[in-house]
C-alpha cells in the first residue's frame, strides 16, 4: 500500500544518505583544516529569550511575526555591537530563567527586575544597581469608576498580576487580598476590563504605555510609584564573560547615542 511504498522509499533514501555522508567525510579528511576554517567563518548567534506581552518593552503587533519594543531593539543593537546575529524566542515569563540555565537561550531580555532572589539564579548585566539599562517601578491601575486611591485601599479586594513578576509579589503582600496571577499582562488587563478584579499591579512604564495607547478612556492609575527597580539583561549564572561583553556593548551604545535613540523611540524622551 501507499504507506509501505513510502517506507521503502524512505529506507532507500536513508541508505543513500549514509553512503554520501561517508564519501563526504572521506573527502574532507584529505582537505587539511578547511572544515574548521568554515566553522570559524560562521557568524556568532545570540539567542535571546523574552515574553512578548509586556509593551512597550516586548510585544508583537497584530498579525506580525516579529518582536517589537524597547528591549527587542536594544537586544538587537547590543548583538550587532558584539558582532552577533540575534535570534529572539518567545516563552512564558516563568520559563525564562530555567531556559537560560539549561542552555536553551543565551540572554533574557524581558523587563526583568534585578532582585536578590533572581541574582542567586542568574548573572545580570550591570548588577550594581547604579547604571541599569532601565529604571522602573510598580503602579496600580484601576477602572475609572473605582474608589481605590492607594495600595491601602486594596486590602481585602481582588488584584490581577502577571505570574512570576514583582507585581505578583507585591500583590500577595496586600492583607486579605485575593490575587489572580495570569500568564500574560494582556490577560490581566482583560480581567480588569471585564470587572473580574478590582485592580492590577504592574510595572509603571507598561501601565503608562497601555494608557497612552487608548486605555485611559476606561482606566486610570492611583497612588504613587512603588519600589523603584532596576531592569537587567540576564545570562546564565556564572557566565561573567558574556555579561562583560554585553556591558561593554551597552556602554558603547550609550556613548555613541544609539541607546538614547532607542529610548526616545519608545518613551518619548531621553533618559536622564
Amino acid at each position: 500500500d501507499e504507506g509501505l511504498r513510502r517506507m521503502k522509499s524512505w529506507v532507500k533514501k536513508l541508505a543513500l544518505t549514509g553512503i554520501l555522508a561517508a564519501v563526504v567525510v572521506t573527502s574532507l579528511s584529505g582537505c587539511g583544516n578547511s572544515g574548521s576554517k568554515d566553522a570559524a567563518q560562521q557568524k556568532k548567534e545570540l539567542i535571546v529569550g523574552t515574553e512578548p506581552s509586556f509593551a512597550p518593552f516586548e510585544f508583537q503587533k497584530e498579525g506580525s511575526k516579529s518582536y517589537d519594543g524597547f528591549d527587542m531593539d536594544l537586544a538587537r543593537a547590543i548583538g550587532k555591537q558584539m558582532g552577533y546575529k540575534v535570534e529572539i524566542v518567545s516563552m512564558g515569563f516563568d520559563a525564562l530563567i530555567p531556559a537560560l540555565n539549561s542552555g536553551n537561550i543565551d540572554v533574557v531580555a524581558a523587563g526583568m527586575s534585578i532582585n536578590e532572589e533572581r541574582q542567586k539564579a542568574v548573572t545580570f548585566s550591570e548588577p550594581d544597581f547604579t547604571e541599569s539599562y532601565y529604571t522602573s517601578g510598580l503602579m496600580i491601575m484601576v477602572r475609572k469608576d473605582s474608589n481605590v486611591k492607594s495600595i491601602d485601599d486594596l486590602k481585602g479586594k481582588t488584584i490581577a498580576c502577571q505570574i512570576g513578576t514583582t507585581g505578583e509579589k507585591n500583590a500577595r503582600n496586600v492583607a486579605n487580598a485575593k490575587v489572580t496571577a495570569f500568564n500574560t499582562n494582556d490577560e490581566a488587563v482583560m480581567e480588569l476590563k471585564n470587572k473580574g478584579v478590582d485592580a492590577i499591579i504592574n510595572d509603571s512604564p507598561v501601565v503608562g504605555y497601555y494608557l497612552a495607547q487608548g486605555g485611559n478612556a476606561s482606566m486610570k492609575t492611583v497612588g504613587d510609584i512603588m519600589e523603584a527597580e532596576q531592569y537587567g539583561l540576564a545570562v546564565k549564572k556564572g557566565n561573567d564573560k558574556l555579561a562583560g561583553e554585553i556591558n561593554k556593548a551597552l556602554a558603547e551604545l550609550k556613548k555613541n547615542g544609539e541607546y538614547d535613540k532607542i529610548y526616545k523611540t519608545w518613551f518619548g524622551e531621553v533618559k536622564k
Side-chain angles (χ1 to χ4, degrees), residues 99-117:
L100 186 67
N101 285 324
S102 66
N104 290 327
I105 58 176
D106 302 308
V107 183
V108 169
M112 182 172 282
S113 303
I114 302 173
N115 59 37
E116 291 184 7
E117 182 179 352

Side-chain angles (χ1 to χ4, degrees), residues 93-94 97 100-101 110-124 162-169 203 229-232 234-235 237:
F93 190 84
D94 56 340
I97 290 179
L100 186 67
N101 285 324
M112 182 172 282
S113 303
I114 302 173
N115 59 37
E116 291 184 7
E117 182 179 352
R118 288 176 179 152
Q119 283 183 308
K120 294 176 183 178
V122 301
T123 293
F124 280 104
Q162 186 177 2
I163 190 169
T165 63
T166 52
E168 179 185 9
K169 181 180 178 181
D203 292 69
E229 44 189 25
Q230 310 291 326
Y231 286 175
V235 300
K237 183 68 176 177

Side-chain angles (χ1 to χ4, degrees), residues 17-28:
T17 301
I19 293 171
L20 289 174
V23 172
V24 171
V25 170
T26 302
S27 299
L28 287 176

Side-chain angles (χ1 to χ4, degrees), residues 186-235:
D186 292 342
E187 291 173 333
V189 171
M190 186 60 66
E191 188 73 359
L192 180 61
K193 289 177 69 174
N194 292 337
K195 300 184 178 181
V197 292
D198 297 307
I200 284 176
I201 298 180
N202 207 337
D203 292 69
S204 57
V206 176
V207 172
Y209 182 78
Y210 171 77
L211 295 175
Q213 298 301 306
N216 57 358
S218 59
M219 304 288 177
K220 65 181 180 180
T221 59
V222 295
D224 298 323
I225 292 179
M226 301 174 288
E227 294 191 14
E229 44 189 25
Q230 310 291 326
Y231 286 175
L233 301 171
V235 300

